[in-house]
């Protein structure tokens, strides 16, 4: 038996239909905490969708967790401490520990603002993974 799991979060245009969050009192439409569905150990991920004109409604920061926001569709903005950064499909934003962050879909966004937020903590990752083993002679399964 191998250590892997598979889940289906649906196409991005269906993400808004999911109601979820980290705790029930702060759950909302358009948030799916994928690491609550899989046995994640060192990373976490949410799939998110905001309607045009909708914002997070709060700021937050992390003491130990680093986040990577990967924007897939729509147009929006992120507040990062005192700076506002425009985001759209293809924008990737890394946010380190201690940085205050919030986000919104701009009112004239042509679609929902959709993104993945990948969270990790713990030890620093090496530039080149030093825990991998390659086998170029192993046949491909397809």
């Amino acid at each position: 038996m191998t250590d892997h799991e598979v889940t289906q979060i649906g196409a991005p245009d269906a993400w808004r239909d999911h109601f979820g969050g980290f705790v029930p009192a702060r759950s909302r439409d358009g948030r799916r905490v994928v690491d609550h569905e899989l046995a994640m150990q060192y990373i976490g991920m949410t799939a998110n969708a905001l309607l045009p004109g909708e914002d997070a409604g709060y700021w937050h920061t992390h003491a130990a967790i680093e986040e990577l926001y990967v924007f897939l569709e729509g147009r929006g903005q992120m507040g990062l401490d005192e700076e506002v950064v425009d985001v759209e499909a293809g924008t990737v934003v890394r946010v380190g520990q201690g940085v205050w962050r919030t986000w919104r879909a701009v009112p004239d966004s042509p679609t929902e603002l959709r993104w993945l937020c990948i969270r990790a903590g713990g030890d620093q990752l090496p530039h080149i993974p030093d825990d991998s083993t390659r086998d170029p002679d192993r046949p491909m399964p397809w």
Side-chain angles (χ1 to χ4, degrees), residues 21-102:
F22 292 96
V23 296
R26 294 195 312 256
S27 292
R28 65 168 175 80
D29 290 330
R31 173 174 284 157
R32 186 172 198 145
V33 183
V34 178
D35 47 293
H36 288 187
E37 300 173 27
L38 300 172
M40 310 282 275
Q41 296 179 47
Y42 305 107
I43 59 172
M45 186 183 84
T46 59
N48 303 273
L50 291 178
L51 297 172
E54 188 176 19
D55 64 37
Y58 63 92
W59 286 83
H60 79 283
T61 187
H62 293 286
I65 292 178
E66 176 180 37
E67 291 181 324
L68 187 70
Y69 293 82
V70 182
F71 291 91
L72 304 172
E73 191 170 344
R75 292 187 315 107
Q77 295 178 312
M78 284 192 75
L80 299 163
D81 284 336
E82 305 304 320
E83 187 177 350
V84 174
V85 175
D86 293 327
V87 297
E88 62 185 359
T91 303
V92 178
V93 180
R94 179 207 157 263
V95 185
Q97 298 87 348
V99 175
W100 286 95
R101 75 228 44 197
T102 192

Side-chain angles (χ1 to χ4, degrees), residues 72-135:
L72 304 172
E73 191 170 344
R75 292 187 315 107
Q77 295 178 312
M78 284 192 75
L80 299 163
D81 284 336
E82 305 304 320
E83 187 177 350
V84 174
V85 175
D86 293 327
V87 297
E88 62 185 359
T91 303
V92 178
V93 180
R94 179 207 157 263
V95 185
Q97 298 87 348
V99 175
W100 286 95
R101 75 228 44 197
T102 192
W103 50 90
R104 75 173 187 143
V106 294
D108 63 346
S109 179
T111 65
E112 294 173 355
L113 180 64
R114 298 183 183 122
W115 74 95
L116 298 173
C117 177
I118 302 164
R119 304 176 321 281
D123 293 334
Q124 291 184 12
L125 297 174
H127 183 67
I128 298 174
D130 58 6
D131 68 337
S132 67
T133 302
R134 293 180 60 147
D135 183 355

